[in-house]
Structures are given as C-alpha cells and as structure tokens.
C-alpha cells in the first residue's frame, strides 16, 4: 500500500505503543526506531509519507482534534474525558484492555449522600453518579488515586482496574463496575474528508489486523 498524502499517527509510549506495533506491522507500517528506546518525539516509518508522533496518552485526542496528527491511538478512558470533539472513532483496537471501577474500602457505601470521589476521570465519575441522580464532589488527581481514601482525601476513587492488585495492596476493593476500556483508533474529521482514500485504506488495514488478532 502506498500513501499519497502525508499521514501522522499519534501514540503514547509504553503499553499503547507496544500493543499497537503488531497491528501497524500487519497493516504494513514499521517504525524506524523503538519508541521505548529513543528520545525522539517523531519517528519515521518504512513509508516516506507516514510518521509517528510520541506524546502523553492524555494529549493524543488533543493533537488529533486540532489536526496536528491525522490519527491517534488512545484509551477509551482518555477519550471519555476529552469528549471526542473534532474526531471520529472508527475502530476499537481491542488492546490495553481493562475496566473502569468505583473503588474504596470494603463495604463503603457507594450510594451515600455527599460523597467525595477522587479521580483522574472527573467527567466519567460525574456522568456515572449523575445518571442516577447522585451528586458527588469530584477531586481531580493525576495519579496514585489509591492513596486518596487512605489519607481521607476522598471516600471513593474512580480508577482503571486490570488485576485489582494495586487496589488490594492498598486495602481497597473494586465496588462498582463502570465501563469496559480498550484503546481506540481516532481520526481527525478534516483529515478523514481531505485525505479520505489514504485514511480509509489505513482504517480498513487496521480493521483486518484487529480481526486477525482476535
Ligand atoms: P502516564 O503513565 O504517562 O501518566 P497514562 O497512565 O495515561 O500516562 P499508561 O499507563 O500507558 O499512560 O496508560 C495508557 C492507557 O492504557 C490508559 O489510558 C488506559 O486506556 C490503558 N491502561 C491503563 N492502565 C491499564 C491497565 N492496568 N491495563 C490495561 N490497560 C491500561
Ligand atoms: Mg500510567
């Protein structure tokens, strides 16, 4: 496959890069370097027109929204917080799977009035509790949410859970399931129109790669 237009794909280092790599490879795209071993922020690929940009996971939807990248790979958790303005979400890549849960001390009352919830996912938390008419006070954190109930910063947390080991190590348990999370391919709406042939071809190639991986 040849790309006629320049295509930029935004990825984050770590698990998303590692899990996206085999899918890109099946779609015929191979980066010139290992993201986890370079300090470069822009990686060339075997296609002269295709570049990868390496950015923080939470910045991926922003780059794609503004057209600084045509495509991005990002967790559904990050997308829910961003809101999805300016981008389409054509494909669930089925990678970096985990779940979003309300968590806290065993037996904590998730239906109590006037709860304080600490989380990176303020919007998801407000939507979840708000949908059942429960007003909660949210406290925005950027990491180590498990600490919040222990030090009395919050009654509950909203966090991603894979094995539950981090919660357990801190005396917490998952209390209420919220969402299944996986990484999604997102595309800038204008790129989708203006570079349609290339964008469409890449989505279909990745779709086949995902189906082959299942
Ligand atoms: P940083 O670690 O740089 O602060 P981050 O925590 O957003 O950023 P990662 O830990 O690489 O970055 O997570 C990226 C994405 O991977 C998350 O947005 C989520 O969709 C997914 N993810 C996070 N934790 C897990 C997990 N335990 N298991 C599977 N997927 C996860
Ligand atoms: Mg992390």
């Amino acid at each position: 496959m040849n790309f006629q237009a320049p295509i930029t794909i935004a990825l984050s280092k770590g698990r998303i890069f590692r899990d996206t790599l085999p899918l890109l490879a099946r779609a015929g795209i191979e980066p010139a370097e290992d993201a986890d071993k370079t300090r470069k922020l822009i990686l060339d690929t075997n296609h002269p027109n295709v570049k990868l940009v390496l950015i923080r996971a939470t910045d991926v939807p922003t780059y794609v929204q503004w057209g600084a990248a045509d495509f991005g790979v990002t967790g559904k958790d990050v997308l829910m917080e961003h809101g999805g303005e300016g981008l389409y979400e054509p494909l669930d890549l089925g990678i970096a799977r985990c779940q979003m849960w309300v968590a806290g001390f065993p037996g904590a009352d998730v239906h109590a009035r006037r709860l304080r919830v600490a989380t990176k996912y303020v919007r998801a938390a407000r939507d979840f509790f708000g949908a059942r008419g429960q007003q909660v006070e949210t406290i925005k954190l950027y990491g180590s949410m498990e600490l919040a109930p222990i030090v009395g910063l919050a009654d509950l947390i909203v966090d991603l859970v894979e094995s539950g080991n981090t919660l357990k190590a801190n005396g917490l348990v998952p209390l209420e399931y919220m969402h299944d999370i996986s990484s999604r391919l997102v595309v800038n709406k204008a790129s989708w129109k203006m570079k349609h042939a290339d964008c469409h071809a890449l989505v279909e190639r990745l779709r086949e790669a995902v189906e082959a991986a299942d």
Side-chain angles (χ1 to χ4, degrees), residues 112-118 135-139 148-149 151-157:
R113 290 161 57 89
R114 303 175 59 84
L115 283 172
R116 274 210 320 239
V117 182
Q135 291 257 345
V136 296
E137 192 177 346
T138 50
I139 298 175
V151 297
L153 178 62
D155 306 295
L156 301 172
I157 62 173

Side-chain angles (χ1 to χ4, degrees), residues 22-98:
L23 298 175
L24 284 175
R26 272 188 177 268
I29 297 171
E30 318 233 6
E33 285 175 81
D34 182 343
D36 289 328
K37 290 188 184 138
T38 181
R39 286 163 180 254
K40 282 193 195 162
L41 300 175
I42 304 180
L43 299 189
D44 288 326
T45 71
N46 56 330
H47 291 273
N49 266 345
V50 180
K51 299 212 180 317
L52 308 182
V53 293
L54 301 174
I55 54 183
R56 286 294 292 265
T58 42
D59 289 334
V60 168
T62 307
Y63 273 66
V64 177
Q65 169 185 13
W66 294 98
D70 303 293
F71 285 95
V73 176
T74 186
K76 185 67 181 173
D77 51 320
V78 170
L79 272 180
M80 289 191 296
E81 282 312 291
H82 171 269
E85 301 99 61
L87 38 91
Y88 296 121
E89 188 190 313
L91 191 58
D92 183 346
L93 296 174
I95 56 169
R97 288 179 195 264
C98 54

Side-chain angles (χ1 to χ4, degrees), residues 10-209:
L11 295 169
S12 50
K13 291 191 178 198
R15 95 182 80 219
I16 295 219
F17 186 83
R18 278 196 306 277
D19 293 0
T20 304
L21 214 50
L23 298 175
L24 284 175
R26 272 188 177 268
I29 297 171
E30 318 233 6
E33 285 175 81
D34 182 343
D36 289 328
K37 290 188 184 138
T38 181
R39 286 163 180 254
K40 282 193 195 162
L41 300 175
I42 304 180
L43 299 189
D44 288 326
T45 71
N46 56 330
H47 291 273
N49 266 345
V50 180
K51 299 212 180 317
L52 308 182
V53 293
L54 301 174
I55 54 183
R56 286 294 292 265
T58 42
D59 289 334
V60 168
T62 307
Y63 273 66
V64 177
Q65 169 185 13
W66 294 98
D70 303 293
F71 285 95
V73 176
T74 186
K76 185 67 181 173
D77 51 320
V78 170
L79 272 180
M80 289 191 296
E81 282 312 291
H82 171 269
E85 301 99 61
L87 38 91
Y88 296 121
E89 188 190 313
L91 191 58
D92 183 346
L93 296 174
I95 56 169
R97 288 179 195 264
C98 54
Q99 296 182 332
M100 190 180 284
W101 281 74
V102 179
F105 288 119
D109 181 5
V110 295
H111 292 276
R113 290 161 57 89
R114 303 175 59 84
L115 283 172
R116 274 210 320 239
V117 182
T119 185
K120 206 165 153 180
Y121 306 107
V122 167
R123 192 165 177 166
R126 279 208 206 100
D127 288 352
F128 180 77
F129 288 101
R132 61 185 187 207
Q134 201 178 349
Q135 291 257 345
V136 296
E137 192 177 346
T138 50
I139 298 175
K140 170 83 182 181
L141 293 178
Y142 293 86
S144 305
M145 267 82 84
E146 298 83 7
L147 189 60
I150 299 169
V151 297
L153 178 62
D155 306 295
L156 301 172
I157 62 173
V158 163
D159 201 1
L160 302 182
V161 179
E162 193 185 14
S163 63
N165 286 339
T166 310
L167 291 174
K168 199 172 168 192
N170 290 288
L172 306 179
V173 290
L175 295 166
E176 214 180 352
Y177 165 85
M178 294 173 65
H179 302 285
D180 276 324
I181 301 294
S182 56
S183 290
R184 311 301 165 97
L185 182 71
V186 292
V187 58
N188 173 269
K189 283 186 176 173
S191 302
W192 184 249
K193 258 196 209 151
M194 307 295 291
K195 309 180 189 176
H196 188 74
D198 287 323
C199 289
H200 185 263
L202 180 55
V203 170
E204 289 316 310
R205 284 244 177 164
L206 286 171
R207 192 187 308 283
E208 285 164 21

